[in-house]
Amino acid sequence: MNTMTGITTEEYKEKMEEMEKLMKETASEYGIVDLDPFNLVETWQQWYEAMLKNPENFIETGLNYWQDSMKLYQQTAMQLMGVDTEPIIQEGKGDRRFRHQAWEEQPIFNAIKQSYLLSSKCFRDLASNTEGIDKQTAKKMTFFTEQYINSLSPTNFALTNPEVIEKAVETKGENLLNGLQNMLDDIKKGRGTLKISMTDTDAFELGKNIATSPGKVVFRNKMFELLQYEPSTETVNNIPLLIVPPWINKYYVLDLQPENSFIKWLSDQGHTVFVMSWVNPDESYQDVQFDHYVLDGLVTALDAVKQATGEKRFNVIGYCIGGALLATALAYLRSTGDNRINTATFLTTMLDYSEPGELGVFTDKEQLESLKEKMSEKGYLEGDYMAGVFNMLRSNDLIWSFYVNNYLLGRSPKAFDLLYWNSDSTRMPANMHTWYIKNFYVENKLKEANGVSINGTGIDLSKIDIPTCFVSTVEDHIAPWKSTYAGTQLVSGSVKFILSGSGHIAGIINPPLAKKYNYRTTDSPPANLEEWVQNAEISEGSWWPEWENWISDKCGKKIAARIPGDGKLGIIEEAPGTYVRARLDADTKLKNDE
């Protein structure tokens, strides 16, 4: 028995079971299918049982919180009397929630802020300092505690946010009326579910002011469309360049606007650029396997590029899980004696999933079973699910900031190309996604020799003996750079590793003219990561020119520029094509060619 609470572990279990039963009955009455999609009831139960067995941390954390609260009480009293004092606690350097001057200048709001920060610290300490729970449960406990903390920020409530109060006085409450209308509109867009708008989606049109690089669709099958871009130089490298984007997002993050388009920049360097635009699958794709993404996807794309150009060697770039697909396909091809891929570049790509970061919270065995059940209903995973997961990884920036802006301040979201792309989600076929999560994330079999197989051929990454370049970003929440670095040790060819500043998207989509961030790089990265950090050379600006210097002597000779449609593949339609236009909020149905 815990002497603090007087509750035994058995009694606690009984209460939790009664609560769970009551919640399920209520959910059933209102048609709520999945009340606990992340299996948090069990997580909280394990944490509570561990805490009861070792209450010392709980007591110590509580005492520290009480002492700091008393200091805050005294400090606030001094400030109310006009005495300047040092804060008990400060928000983190990158925390943008408390930018309004009232949080510093007005004692009451300063006290509210510090009280929240002290409570947040207390919650974090309680969630992270409990011994006796397994590693995965501890990660889930820490992650979802952070989500709870973020949701309770005083900036998220009208009466405790000075900027909202100021706006309400200025507009005589019109901001709250506008905010309510914005919320109702978002509920309507989400068909009964609150789907917070991040940008003005009406401000963009594919092919008009976003995804505008000139090109043609030159191939299409059930899995993808192949886009060939028009040259911007008189001569081009004879070895073409194929880009494999992730199927979990749409390709045009690489072609947002001319000034930040990676695709345009590559064309300007003299590459003949091809890009795979994956289909946005519906229920008819339920039985599509990962093998199809390799064989009917990437391998077929290589065949098509050969037809379009007549070349037999190709440089290939894979982005995120597109990079994992590239590595799998490359190992498969090498095992079958196919040497078509000349070089491989892996952008923010994990090949070893031992430490998947916060995303691992959503990819354990329990989550896999939950996903199977969810996907069995329609034959695919809704795009909104993964979009929500990615947003939770940076919830203050990608959820709560828009909640405050749209609903409390009553403003309309601004037009922003990257956020338009971020809101343009894609679905995942049920069987493929289950296989991918199980074999890559849960069991981490890709790094093992013959751990997985494609079309009966074992996949061994050590057979990748061509030049490779790994590009990662230091603030990546989706593919942590220390995990992507591990992939450099799994291939056997010459390796270059580049670590860019910023995150998963901004660190990759970083044109040289922006003059932002910096990067570190070395050839032949050692097994010891710390040794790499010590020896890596730091340079200012974009990594793009560094990569171009690496690949420039691996592109063959210069030839006259290629025009889409001049080869054996004719023009089907203008870029960006048909598949990319299928939006979840438009219920677009595609009739695909077999």
Side-chain angles (χ1 to χ4, degrees):
M1 175 180 291
N2 179 2
T3 57
M4 287 190 304
T5 63
I7 301 176
T8 65
T9 301
E10 291 74 18
E11 288 172 334
Y12 172 77
K13 284 184 178 180
E14 290 177 6
K15 296 298 181 186
M16 289 294 292
E17 289 171 359
E18 289 177 15
M19 290 173 62
E20 188 174 3
K21 180 181 178 182
L22 181 61
M23 291 165 66
K24 286 182 177 179
E25 289 175 352
T26 304
S28 177
E29 181 179 350
Y30 288 97
I32 302 173
V33 178
D34 195 353
L35 191 64
D36 185 18
F38 304 121
N39 196 32
L40 295 183
V41 170
E42 183 177 343
T43 300
W44 289 108
Q45 182 172 326
Q46 288 187 35
W47 171 83
Y48 189 81
E49 290 176 2
M51 186 269 291
L52 291 179
K53 294 177 183 176
N54 298 285
E56 294 82 6
N57 287 334
F58 179 83
I59 296 172
E60 182 180 355
T61 301
L63 286 173
N64 289 337
Y65 173 70
W66 179 80
Q67 290 171 353
D68 288 338
S69 296
M70 292 305 298
K71 291 178 184 177
L72 177 58
Y73 173 79
Q74 294 171 351
Q75 181 207 66
T76 303
M78 296 291 286
Q79 287 184 335
L80 287 170
M81 291 186 290
V83 180
D84 290 335
T85 59
E86 289 296 318
I88 305 301
I89 189 171
Q90 283 275 42
E91 67 271 25
K93 186 177 180 180
D95 192 340
R96 297 182 292 179
R97 293 173 294 177
F98 302 100
R99 289 175 296 179
H100 194 279
Q101 65 271 18
W103 293 114
E104 292 295 330
E105 296 175 1
Q106 297 186 23
I108 297 301
F109 284 112
N110 186 262
I112 291 172
K113 180 187 76 170
Q114 290 195 65
S115 178
Y116 165 73
L117 294 175
L118 287 176
S119 298
S120 300
K121 181 179 183 301
C122 179
F123 288 146
R124 290 191 186 99
D125 290 344
L126 288 173
S128 61
N129 291 339
T130 301
E131 299 177 357
I133 57 177
D134 63 85
K135 185 178 180 181
Q136 181 64 17
T137 300
K139 285 183 177 180
K140 288 179 69 174
M141 185 69 191
T142 300
F143 180 82
F144 284 103
T145 296
E146 198 65 33
Q147 301 305 308
Y148 178 70
I149 289 169
N150 292 343
S151 71
L152 293 181
S153 171
T155 54
N156 298 337
F157 300 91
L159 294 179
T160 53
N161 187 326
E163 185 178 8
V164 175
I165 295 173
E166 193 176 86
K167 192 72 172 178
V169 172
E170 176 189 332
T171 65
K172 298 180 181 179
E174 188 176 350
N175 62 304
L176 298 176
L177 181 62
N178 292 340
L180 177 60
Q181 185 61 58
N182 288 341
M183 179 177 287
L184 294 175
D185 290 344
D186 285 347
I187 291 174
K188 184 178 180 180
K189 290 177 184 177
R191 297 175 177 85
T193 300
L194 181 61
K195 185 177 180 181
I196 303 176
S197 296
M198 295 184 176
T199 187
D200 180 6
T201 55
D202 294 331
F204 297 99
E205 183 180 351
L206 291 172
K208 297 293 184 182
N209 59 355
I210 195 168
T212 59
S213 291
K216 313 291 183 183
V217 177
V218 296
F219 179 85
R220 175 188 292 149
N221 68 5
K222 184 177 180 180
M223 300 301 299
F224 71 98
E225 291 178 333
L226 185 67
L227 280 59
Q228 179 180 353
Y229 287 89
E230 295 178 7
S232 58
T233 54
E234 292 184 359
T235 61
V236 296
N237 305 316
N238 77 288
I239 297 180
L241 178 66
L242 173 65
I243 300 177
V244 186
W247 59 86
I248 206 168
N249 300 114
K250 293 185 179 179
Y251 85 89
Y252 67 89
V253 70
L254 301 168
D255 187 35
L256 294 171
Q257 307 277 343
E259 60 269 18
N260 61 0
S261 171
F262 187 47
I263 288 172
K264 179 183 183 302
W265 186 85
L266 290 170
S267 296
D268 291 344
Q269 310 313 305
H271 296 282
T272 302
V273 181
F274 293 83
V275 176
M276 298 176 70
S277 176
W278 296 104
V279 71
N280 198 350
D282 56 26
E283 60 274 7
S284 66
Y285 285 75
Q286 177 173 356
D287 295 327
V288 166
Q289 306 287 340
F290 193 84
D291 285 37
H292 292 99
Y293 276 79
V294 174
L295 302 174
D296 299 335
L298 179 48
V299 174
T300 298
L302 294 173
D303 295 337
V305 174
K306 179 181 179 181
Q307 286 184 282
T309 63
E311 297 294 337
K312 298 180 181 179
R313 301 278 285 173
F314 318 102
N315 293 322
V316 187
I317 297 175
Y319 191 0
C320 191
I321 56 175
L325 177 69
L326 169 58
T328 306
L330 182 50
Y332 167 79
L333 291 172
R334 302 301 277 182
S335 294
T336 59
D338 190 325
N339 299 321
R340 283 183 287 177
I341 297 181
N342 182 56
T343 70
T345 299
F346 301 101
L347 306 181
T348 64
T349 297
M350 284 194 297
L351 303 180
D352 182 343
Y353 292 74
S354 302
E355 297 292 338
E358 291 181 334
L359 198 57
V361 169
F362 302 94
T363 53
D364 56 23
K365 292 180 180 179
E366 290 77 15
Q367 292 298 300
L368 180 59
E369 291 304 314
S370 177
L371 282 177
K372 283 182 180 178
E373 186 175 347
K374 187 185 298 289
M375 292 187 292
S376 67
E377 301 169 13
K378 297 182 179 180
Y380 57 81
L381 182 65
E382 287 282 6
D384 287 344
Y385 174 86
M386 287 307 301
V389 166
F390 290 140
N391 290 342
M392 287 175 70
L393 298 181
R394 292 177 53 207
S395 60
N396 281 331
D397 291 333
L398 295 178
I399 297 177
W400 294 112
S401 66
F402 294 101
Y403 178 91
V404 173
N405 181 79
N406 300 2
Y407 306 150
L408 300 185
L409 294 172
R411 297 169 179 161
S412 297
K414 297 179 181 179
F416 187 18
D417 54 4
L418 183 58
L419 291 177
Y420 177 85
W421 167 84
N422 189 60
S423 67
D424 193 5
S425 305
T426 57
R427 309 178 190 93
M428 267 70 70
N431 286 342
M432 181 281 297
H433 195 62
T434 299
W435 187 95
Y436 166 69
I437 295 297
K438 178 178 183 292
N439 286 278
F440 286 21
Y441 274 95
V442 176
E443 298 181 1
N444 195 19
K445 287 185 174 181
L446 180 60
K447 73 170 187 176
E448 300 175 7
N450 303 315
V452 297
S453 63
I454 299 296
N455 197 32
T457 299
I459 299 303
D460 184 354
L461 298 182
S462 67
K463 292 185 178 180
I464 300 176
D465 55 0
I466 61 173
T468 58
C469 179
F470 289 76
V471 183
S472 300
T473 62
V474 71
E475 297 175 8
D476 199 329
H477 291 79
I478 296 173
W481 78 268
K482 292 182 180 179
S483 297
T484 62
Y485 184 90
T488 65
Q489 307 303 306
L490 298 176
V491 298
S492 57
S494 62
V495 181
K496 183 178 183 65
F497 186 78
I498 301 173
L499 180 62
S500 171
S502 195
H504 191 75
I505 301 299
I508 295 299
I509 312 305
N510 181 27
L513 289 178
K515 298 181 179 179
K516 295 171 66 176
Y517 317 127
N518 58 28
Y519 65 89
R520 302 179 183 186
T521 186
T522 65
D523 297 325
S524 305
N528 187 309
L529 186 145
E530 296 302 324
E531 181 182 340
W532 180 86
V533 171
Q534 292 174 4
N535 295 330
E537 179 182 349
I538 301 177
S539 301
E540 293 300 319
S542 171
W543 60 270
W544 294 7
E546 179 71 29
W547 175 85
E548 178 63 25
N549 289 336
W550 171 78
I551 205 171
S552 60
D553 63 351
K554 304 172 181 65
C555 296
K557 61 184 180 180
K558 291 290 184 180
I559 60 172
R562 301 183 178 98
I563 307 300
D566 281 358
K568 293 183 179 180
L569 293 180
I571 296 171
I572 298 175
E573 63 176 297
E574 296 289 325
T578 297
Y579 283 1
V580 74
R581 299 183 188 276
R583 287 184 64 92
L584 302 186
D585 53 15
D587 276 340
T588 306
K589 283 279 189 178
L590 294 176
K591 299 298 182 182
N592 303 315
D593 296 333
E594 295 295 333

